[in-house]
Amino acid sequence: MLQINTGKLFARGMGRTNQLRGVLYSNLELCYGYDVATAAGTLRETDGMRGNRAIVYEIEERIEQAEVGPGFLISHTIGPFLTDFAALATFGLRAIVSPDPAVVDRLTSKAPGLASYDPPSKFIRRYFDERIALQEVEIAPFKELVDQLLALDRRHFLGAMRAIRTFVTALHRMRDDLALAYTLLVSAVESLAQEFDGYTTNWKDVDERKRIPVDRALAKASKRTGSAVREAILGSEHASLARRYRAFVLHHVDRDYFRAPDLIGGAAIARHELGEALRQAYVLRSRYVHNVRQLPDAITLSDSDRETAEVDRRPVLSFQGLVRLTHHVITAFVASGPTTTHEPYDYAREQAGVVTVPLAPEMWVGMPLMNAKQARQRLEGHLEQLVPVLMNTPNATVTDLRPIFPDMERLAKSCAKLERCQLLTLYALFARLLPKHDRSAKLDVLIEQHMDLIGAPSSEALIARTIFGMLEGWSIDVHREALDKYFAARVKPSGLQAPRILEAAMCLALAERFRVARRYEEAREWIGLAVEVCPGHEAIRDLEERFSYRKRVDWQTALMPRLALPRTVKHKRGPSAIGDSSSEP
């Protein structure tokens, strides 16, 4: 929100402004009479005595000129700005700043926390002190940091803010879980490395367990052949994340890092120790992520001055060392990132309080079809509407698809096989609800021409045959294989996803075929899978509990009565119903 508020992302210029004010809490003691005024807002002291931890935060909210149309934004309110600026102030002023006073009290308390017998202030200098008197000379560097951050292009700004928030979250976890805090500090920079390092894998980066045997196998090959093989391997080889983390940190550590004025002689990390210390930091991060392993005792023994500890003769970053290093790298990334003065950008989904949710099918399933790639989505949307109708859900309707019949006809003639199958399956499912005179003669002809395609085993054919009761055209083994492939492919980009009830119905339909074939154990297995596909559905559990090899698995009556009893179906054109059809599904 802070960069959006600068107006540099606006495409239509400034619309309105609001003067917002809120309260933050901190262990900072501001210089009385010297406000911390930045491009992202201003911090003001509440009184000269600071008997409480409250400080005032003020910002001028800027809102882009509204587009022509209904609705307009009055204000985001102060909440999202408080949250963002609190993280930025914690990072930039090296103190605890939060909209919640309890957070400040908890982190600055001298009492031991859940993570250690010592409070966080024993592991890291300054941040967790009970009171921090902010010096006037510290204000200018913070203002410069804010200016540099807001000047970044949007992509680098978002990356930097993610890293800063992760850094602050790590500080907040110091009283709860030291290993988690350590992991988050590593992850703060790792997130930047993975997105912005531009790292290119070379042959030496390949794991030696793979590299050495390949080198031996290519020893007698020509140089050209060897290079071609190695390049082919590198094309699919991912650089080690640990190596990229180390390279990114070392790239942003300059000579000033070892000459900072507040370093304590004998306690700061040496340059020759840094590479190995970074390697060990990533090892500790991975051990926690994958095995929830705790940190070595040498790190959890509080000593807020030393930046390294020794574990198995190797230098390992202490919390003080890791915090200072992470802070330096993020700051260097912000200072060296590309900047823009004006960058029109669609930030709508990045505003506070904005969430993305899928629209109901009735909002889009009947829209004009622009290309055949939309066929799968339209088929899924139609199934989402059709299943409640088949279940006799009150007021359930399906959107009238007749207006897009011409689009379906045009696309089905020239598209790829998969899209053609999806388009014609969509038409067949909807046309079954219509009287014959309302159907499309051209699409009916296409179905006849491509019957071998749309009837062959596939997820689309499986769904259609289950609804139409035409599964007997396949052998049981083909039926089972089609259902196995459906579940394997449903999460893939080209896979089809049916509503859960329909998925359970497909399992029960196969179970019934196994029962008829006297393959009772397989019947029980697929009924059990139907229960697990749609957990908590009483009718399906009842079918499982009452299963008998002598009794039909009547899933139609249990789940979709419209398939058992012919009934009328209502259609909907846009927001209103278009009438009833006496045709049965």
Side-chain angles (χ1 to χ4, degrees):
M1 287 301 299
L2 295 178
Q3 191 184 54
I4 294 172
N5 198 62
T6 64
K8 66 182 286 184
L9 309 181
F10 293 172
R12 296 181 300 276
M14 192 76 65
R16 61 181 290 125
T17 62
N18 298 303
Q19 301 300 320
L20 304 180
R21 181 179 299 156
V23 177
L24 291 170
Y25 300 87
S26 177
N27 53 346
L28 279 173
E29 290 183 343
L30 304 186
C31 302
Y32 189 67
Y34 294 96
D35 298 333
V36 182
T38 75
T42 300
L43 292 177
R44 301 185 190 279
E45 178 64 273
T46 52
D47 59 58
M49 301 302 294
R50 278 306 306 274
N52 56 55
R53 297 183 179 274
I55 49 180
V56 173
Y57 170 67
E58 297 176 347
I59 187 171
E60 181 182 70
E61 181 185 28
R62 303 177 180 94
I63 297 175
E64 185 174 8
Q65 179 69 42
E67 293 183 277
V68 177
F72 59 92
L73 176 65
I74 296 177
S75 175
H76 293 96
T77 72
I78 191 62
F81 296 105
L82 284 173
T83 301
D84 286 355
F85 196 84
L88 185 53
T90 297
F91 178 84
L93 296 175
R94 296 187 300 136
I96 302 300
V97 183
S98 172
D100 185 354
V103 170
V104 181
D105 290 338
R106 182 175 65 88
L107 293 176
T108 58
S109 170
K110 297 300 183 182
L114 297 175
S116 169
Y117 291 111
D118 296 299
S121 59
K122 294 293 185 179
F123 293 92
I124 303 172
R125 292 198 303 271
R126 178 178 169 114
Y127 288 89
F128 302 105
D129 291 351
E130 187 175 1
R131 297 288 181 185
I132 300 173
L134 184 66
Q135 303 300 311
E136 186 178 353
V137 294
E138 296 177 289
I139 297 177
F142 177 57
K143 293 169 63 174
E144 183 180 6
L145 171 67
V146 173
D147 289 340
Q148 292 171 338
L149 179 66
L150 297 180
L152 292 175
D153 67 33
R154 186 60 175 172
R155 178 168 169 264
H156 284 74
F157 171 83
L158 293 175
M161 282 302 297
R162 283 195 300 270
I164 289 171
R165 290 191 186 99
T166 305
F167 178 91
V168 173
T169 301
L171 296 180
H172 287 194
R173 299 280 68 78
M174 286 292 295
R175 289 191 68 87
D176 307 325
D177 190 332
L178 290 177
L180 175 58
Y182 200 95
T183 298
L184 288 171
L185 287 168
V186 174
S187 298
V189 171
E190 183 186 15
S191 67
L192 295 177
Q194 291 193 39
E195 186 172 356
F196 299 102
D197 62 355
Y199 194 90
T200 303
T201 308
N202 58 53
W203 186 242
K204 290 183 179 180
D205 291 333
V206 177
D207 191 312
E208 63 179 14
R209 291 171 296 182
K210 179 189 298 185
R211 174 166 45 85
I212 292 175
V214 171
D215 286 338
R216 289 173 180 168
L218 295 173
K220 296 182 179 180
S222 67
K223 185 176 181 181
R224 181 177 180 180
T225 300
S227 297
V229 172
R230 291 183 179 93
E231 287 178 7
I233 294 173
L234 285 174
S236 60
E237 189 74 17
H238 295 288
S240 164
L241 296 179
R243 187 179 295 110
R244 291 175 63 180
Y245 168 74
R246 294 197 303 273
F248 188 84
V249 172
L250 294 174
H251 175 72
H252 287 87
V253 171
D254 54 17
R255 65 189 304 276
D256 292 338
Y257 181 74
F258 301 95
R259 295 167 175 80
D262 59 344
L263 294 183
I264 298 176
I269 189 171
R271 182 179 282 279
H272 67 270
E273 295 178 309
L274 189 55
E276 182 61 31
L278 289 170
R279 181 179 287 105
Q280 295 305 312
Y282 202 86
V283 168
L284 295 177
R285 165 258 184 221
S286 298
R287 287 176 180 173
Y288 181 84
V289 169
H290 300 298
N291 305 108
V292 199
R293 295 274 295 275
Q294 297 304 305
L295 297 173
D297 292 341
I299 298 178
T300 58
L301 294 174
S302 61
D303 184 351
S304 61
D305 290 335
R306 293 195 60 82
E307 293 190 350
T308 60
E310 187 175 292
V311 179
D312 296 331
R313 296 176 56 82
R314 294 186 176 92
V316 180
L317 285 162
S318 67
F319 275 101
Q320 174 59 33
L322 185 56
V323 164
R324 187 172 83 89
L325 180 64
T326 303
H327 189 282
H328 179 88
V329 171
I330 296 175
T331 302
F333 173 81
V334 170
S336 61
T339 61
T340 62
T341 55
H342 184 57
E343 183 186 2
Y345 177 89
D346 183 8
Y347 56 84
R349 294 186 179 182
E350 296 169 8
Q351 296 179 99
V354 175
V355 295
T356 303
V357 295
L359 291 172
E362 54 264 28
M363 302 296 293
W364 49 265
V365 75
M367 297 288 289
L369 273 165
M370 306 305 296
N371 58 69
K373 296 294 184 183
Q374 298 175 333
R376 177 185 56 81
Q377 183 189 40
R378 299 300 178 91
L379 177 55
E380 290 178 345
H382 180 64
L383 289 172
E384 192 174 333
Q385 289 186 311
L386 179 60
V387 167
V389 171
L390 300 179
M391 294 172 63
N392 275 341
T393 303
N395 301 318
T397 61
V398 293
T399 299
D400 183 15
L401 300 183
R402 286 176 293 182
I404 63 170
F405 279 179
D407 294 337
M408 299 168 70
E409 295 165 4
R410 171 177 53 83
L411 295 171
K413 291 178 181 178
S414 58
C415 63
K417 288 183 178 181
L418 177 60
E419 285 79 16
R420 180 180 293 118
C421 181
Q422 291 167 345
L423 282 170
L424 295 180
T425 301
L426 172 61
Y427 168 71
L429 288 170
F430 180 72
R432 190 68 176 266
L433 307 176
L434 297 173
K436 191 171 183 178
H437 64 269
D438 277 339
R439 301 178 185 178
S440 166
K442 294 181 180 179
L443 285 169
D444 285 338
V445 170
L446 283 172
I447 285 183
E448 291 296 329
Q449 291 176 348
H450 300 285
M451 184 58 70
D452 290 343
L453 170 65
I454 62 177
S458 67
S459 295
E460 293 77 13
L462 175 64
I463 289 171
R465 284 177 178 269
T466 300
I467 292 174
F468 294 153
M470 299 170 58
L471 292 166
E472 299 298 329
W474 292 346
S475 69
I476 294 181
D477 292 332
V478 169
H479 185 178
R480 176 176 57 188
E481 184 180 358
L483 189 49
D484 285 336
K485 287 182 177 179
Y486 165 83
F487 282 115
R490 72 183 303 278
V491 296
K492 297 179 180 178
S494 60
L496 190 63
Q497 294 186 11
R500 279 189 176 186
I501 290 293
L502 183 52
E503 291 176 336
M506 292 190 289
C507 295
L508 293 171
L510 179 58
E512 169 59 14
R513 294 195 68 189
F514 277 126
R515 185 196 68 84
V516 172
R518 298 186 179 183
R519 294 163 64 171
Y520 303 126
E521 288 304 314
E522 289 166 290
R524 288 184 182 276
E525 177 185 346
W526 282 96
I527 293 177
L529 183 58
V531 173
E532 295 168 7
V533 163
C534 197
H537 196 287
E538 293 185 5
I540 303 176
R541 286 193 304 185
D542 187 63
L543 287 174
E544 181 183 43
E545 293 169 0
R546 297 176 180 273
F547 173 74
S548 168
Y549 67 90
R550 295 180 177 179
K551 186 177 180 181
R552 176 172 174 261
V553 181
D554 188 6
W555 61 268
Q556 292 95 335
T557 301
L559 303 185
M560 301 180 187
R562 290 278 178 112
L563 296 179
L565 298 174
R567 302 287 294 272
T568 60
V569 179
K570 292 187 292 183
H571 307 282
K572 186 170 65 175
R573 186 196 300 272
S576 60
I578 65 170
D580 295 339
S581 166
S582 59
S583 148
E584 63 183 75

